[in-house]
Structure formats: structure tokens, C-alpha cells
Amino acid sequence: MSKDKILKKSAFGGFKKEDVLDYIEKLQQEIVSLKRDASDCAAYKREVEALKSSAADKDKTAETLKAENEALKVENASCIEKNASLALKIEQLNAILEKSKEEASEYKAKYDELCEEHSKVTDVSKLVSEAKESVSKITLDAKRSVDSVRIDVSAAADRLKTVCVNFESSLSSLKSGTDALLETLSSASDKLDSVDIKEE
């Protein structure tokens, strides 16, 4: 209510009852409004204090976060350095990997070549095995033939020995007969020499 509000006086002195009652009612309304405003101000004050406390907490949190941020910056710089080092190592490993792939390709070609040679060697080994079997068979046949010839030669030698023994026996007998014949002839010659034949 405005301060310059003036109550109208009644015609018989004093103030009008209706105006006084209206004024009192308006004053009461203003008091209620002021109390409400005061309560709101107290609530606002408490809210401001809470906000100040929250702001202080937030400032502390901000300081903590700032310190953590500085630590993270240092850690990030270290991570960036490590990342660069790892990137370099990755490049080196990729180069080694490419070289390994090339070497693997070369080794595969050599392996295929060795497999082909092994296949040929296997074929040769098969031929050698077959040749060994043939040689073994030929050797066995030759041994059997040699054994058969040896037996035949041994039998012939035995027969020759028998012939030689018989020949020596016959030769000895012939020599004895010849010696006896020579002796007889010599005796006959002596007798003939002793005979005096006269010529007529």
C-alpha cells in the first residue's frame, strides 16, 4: 500500500469504518506478502549459501580436476611419445612382415621344387629297388649255376682222378710187360748170339 494513502474522515469526526477495515485488511495482506517475501528471501539466502558452498566444492573439484588434468597432460604427452615409438615399431614390424612374406614365398617355391625332386627321387628309388631285386635274382641264379657247374666239375675231376689212377695202373702194367718183353728179347738175342751158324 502506498505511504501517502490517507484515510477519509467521516462527517461526524474520526475515520470511516469501512475504510479502516479495508486498510487493515490491505495491511494484513501486505504483512502476509512481506512474510512470504521474507520466507522466500530466507529460502533464497539458504539457496545462495548452498550455492556458495556448492561453488566452493566445485572450485575444489575444479582445482582437483585441474591438477588431474595437468597430470593427464603429462601422461598424455608420455602416451603420445610411446605411441610414436610404437608406430615406429609397427612400421618396422610391417617391413619385417613383408620381408617374411617374400621369404615365405621363396621357401614355398623351394619346397615345391624339393617336393618335385623328392618325387623324382622316389621314382628313382623305386627303380633302384626293382634293379636291386633283379640283381639279387640274377645273382641267385648265377650262384645256383656256379654251384651246379662246381658240382659237375667236381664230378668230372673225380672221374679224371679215377681215369688217371686206372691209367697209371695200366701204364705200370704195360711197363712191367714191356720190361719183361725186353728182357725176353734180350735173352733171346743173347741166345741167338751164342748160336754158331755155319755158312754152306
Side-chain angles (χ1 to χ4, degrees), residues 1 5-10 13-29:
M1 178 179 287
K5 176 79 177 178
I6 299 174
L7 293 175
K8 293 181 180 181
K9 293 182 180 180
S10 65
F15 299 99
K16 287 184 178 180
K17 184 177 180 181
E18 292 82 2
D19 291 341
V20 173
L21 291 174
D22 289 340
Y23 180 71
I24 290 172
E25 185 179 352
K26 289 179 180 179
L27 283 176
Q28 285 178 344
Q29 289 178 357

Side-chain angles (χ1 to χ4, degrees), residues 172-191:
S172 177
S173 177
L174 181 59
K175 184 179 179 183
S176 297
T178 303
D179 289 339
L181 180 59
L182 287 174
E183 185 177 350
T184 301
L185 289 174
S186 178
S187 175
S189 178
D190 290 339
K191 288 180 178 180

Side-chain angles (χ1 to χ4, degrees), residues 76-90:
N76 186 43
S78 176
C79 287
I80 290 172
E81 184 178 355
K82 288 181 180 179
N83 187 38
S85 176
L86 288 174
L88 179 60
K89 288 183 179 179
I90 288 172

Side-chain angles (χ1 to χ4, degrees), residues 27-46:
L27 283 176
Q28 285 178 344
Q29 289 178 357
E30 284 189 12
I31 289 170
V32 170
S33 178
L34 289 173
K35 283 183 179 180
R36 189 182 299 115
D37 292 342
S39 177
D40 291 340
C41 284
Y44 290 149
K45 186 176 180 181
R46 288 192 298 272

Side-chain angles (χ1 to χ4, degrees), residues 191-199:
K191 288 180 178 180
L192 288 173
D193 287 337
S194 65
V195 174
D196 184 16
I197 299 175
K198 294 181 180 182
E199 294 180 0

